[in-house]
Amino acid sequence: MSSSALSLVPPELIARYEPVIGLEVHVQLATATKIFCGCPTSFGAAPNTNVCPVCLGLPGALPVLNHAAVELAIKAGLALNCSIRPHSRFARKNYFYPDLPKGYQISQYDEPLAEQGYVEIRVGDEIKRIGITRIHMEDDAGKSIHEGFKDSDRYSYVDLNRSGTPLIEIVSEPDIRSSDEAYAYVSEVKQVLQFIEVSTCDMEKGHLRCDANVSVRLRGAEKFGTKAEVKNLNSFRFLKQALDYEIARQVAVLESGGKVEQETRLYNPDTGETAGMRSKEHAHDYRYFPEPDLVPLRVSERWLAEVQASLPELPAKKRGRLTVEYQLRDYDAEWLTQSRAISEYFETAARISGDPKATANWIMGDLAGSFKGKDISESPISAENLGEFIKLKLPGKLAKEVFPKMFATGEPASAIIEREGLKQISDTGALEKIVDEVIAANPKQVEQYRGGKGTVINYLVGQAMRATRGQADVAAVTELLKQKLG
Ligand code: ADP
Ligand code: ZN
Ligand code: MG
């Protein structure tokens, strides 16, 4: 069914059904080396250069578990409110892929590292908990690259640089009820993992990949419908599009008297559609068995406590604290905690400026506008310099003139003001001279003002500001004009 045909499924019909969604999120752990060997995990190396007998899957090569990968996985588990098993186990998941030379993935099955967690998302005005069933560790496969279109001129290549990259898979409960909730869930998971530096979660590089399990049931029904699994959702936009398509497709199938097949479907970003790929395999198809080359993984209480102690303040907690401690609006607190770096930048600047609200406004307005999507760590204006700039309480127009100069040069505001002679004019003698000139140059407006048209004062103040390129103290100018005009 094409997406145009599906857009004909009437919304009232879709509204009679309730979507049920569970997500499987794969995240690449930010280790320097692979999960079972010492090869680098760096992105973009020449094909098949970051490899060794272990990650090439050569017979007889033995895996050695990367301690740093386990530590990051524990961090993720704790930050996502899971309990960590003191004893977990790796298992072989057998299947054939051209880019999986071992013929199996080393994953975890019945004894995953972490289980029974949750994240909280905002749905309207409510906070909703989405359960996390489990988080397990596994190795990534290599990559197949397909080239050419004509049958006579078509090649596939295998690059094993990615083979053996450490992943965690985060499996949610089927608690999600709309594509918007799915979006919010993945955003929250991503933000938490970035805050604790477990992963860059860079979706463009495939560091966060998502599969969605979707079913629909008539609203009010108890029993879940049959689910389809949609793969290849490598951006937030695709996740939402694919879910909306899949929900409409399943409703259309059921409404026409059909049955939803339990299958794996592939999302095609070019068409916005999902298409059947294969009937869903079941766990027993993988012939899971305990990995004989690795001892069980033990996490001592002491290790767990150490990792727990190393966790920074998590985004949800930080958002709450910013609204209380700095009296920020929810929206501002949310914006300023979108990354740990931004939140730290804000707090440093706010402490120095003594004016959190103004600091938030400058960061979310002019600073964000000046850098257009770049990371705040690349900001030419340091948090210290922004704080000091705000503390100067420059008049609006002068501030707007100094800010871009700080952005261009990276210099503190005071240095720019000094060098360019941009000091605010509040010296009464100097202001009087300017005000006298303005009065002399605008006899008509002066007459109107004296005749009772009070708003004309704004025009005269404007003239004085213009004459001083915005450097006059507005309040002082207004006061002087009023005095002189009686
Ligand atoms: P499978 O054995 O097919 O892999 P699981 O029970 O392991 O199924 O669940 C895989 C994912 O599918 C989980 O994220 C889970 O929340 C979700 N899920 C399970 N049942 C349904 C359903 N009926 N509709 C939507 N999602 C579901
Ligand atoms: Zn290797
Ligand atoms: Mg499963």
Side-chain angles (χ1 to χ4, degrees), residues 77 80-84 112 114-118 131-135 171 173:
L80 297 172
N81 305 299
C82 293
S83 43
I84 307 294
E115 49 201 1
Q116 290 172 337
Y118 63 87
I132 289 175
T133 317
R134 52 188 275 142
I135 301 178
V171 182
E173 290 289 305

Side-chain angles (χ1 to χ4, degrees), residues 43 143 190 200-208 234-235:
F43 187 81
K143 238 187 227 168
K190 178 175 177 225
T200 63
C201 294
D202 187 338
M203 291 178 94
E204 274 171 29
K205 290 186 182 157
H207 292 182
L208 188 153
N234 52 16
S235 81

Side-chain angles (χ1 to χ4, degrees), residues 27-31 71-77 79 168 192-201 311:
V27 174
Q28 178 173 329
L29 299 174
T31 54
E71 192 147 309
L72 291 182
I74 295 173
K75 262 190 173 178
I168 48 174
V192 167
L193 298 181
Q194 285 175 329
F195 252 71
I196 60 177
E197 291 167 348
V198 153
S199 174
T200 63
C201 294
L311 284 179

Side-chain angles (χ1 to χ4, degrees), residues 48 128 138-139 154 207 213 219 242 293 295 309 407 448:
N48 299 307
K128 175 173 172 178
E138 57 190 25
D139 59 357
R154 201 147 62 179
H207 292 182
N213 298 271
R219 288 198 184 269
D293 291 339
V295 294
F407 195 85
Q448 286 173 343

Side-chain angles (χ1 to χ4, degrees), residues 201-252:
C201 294
D202 187 338
M203 291 178 94
E204 274 171 29
K205 290 186 182 157
H207 292 182
L208 188 153
R209 311 190 290 260
C210 183
D211 301 335
N213 298 271
V214 194
S215 63
V216 298
R217 61 180 172 187
L218 277 171
R219 288 198 184 269
E222 282 275 314
K223 218 171 143 253
F224 286 161
T226 305
K227 72 180 195 294
E229 184 183 9
V230 185
K231 289 199 175 281
N232 196 27
L233 305 172
N234 52 16
S235 81
F236 279 95
R237 193 159 57 87
F238 294 162
L239 169 68
K240 198 168 149 34
Q241 271 175 13
L243 285 172
D244 289 335
Y245 177 89
E246 186 56 24
I247 291 163
R249 185 189 72 84
Q250 292 187 11
V251 169

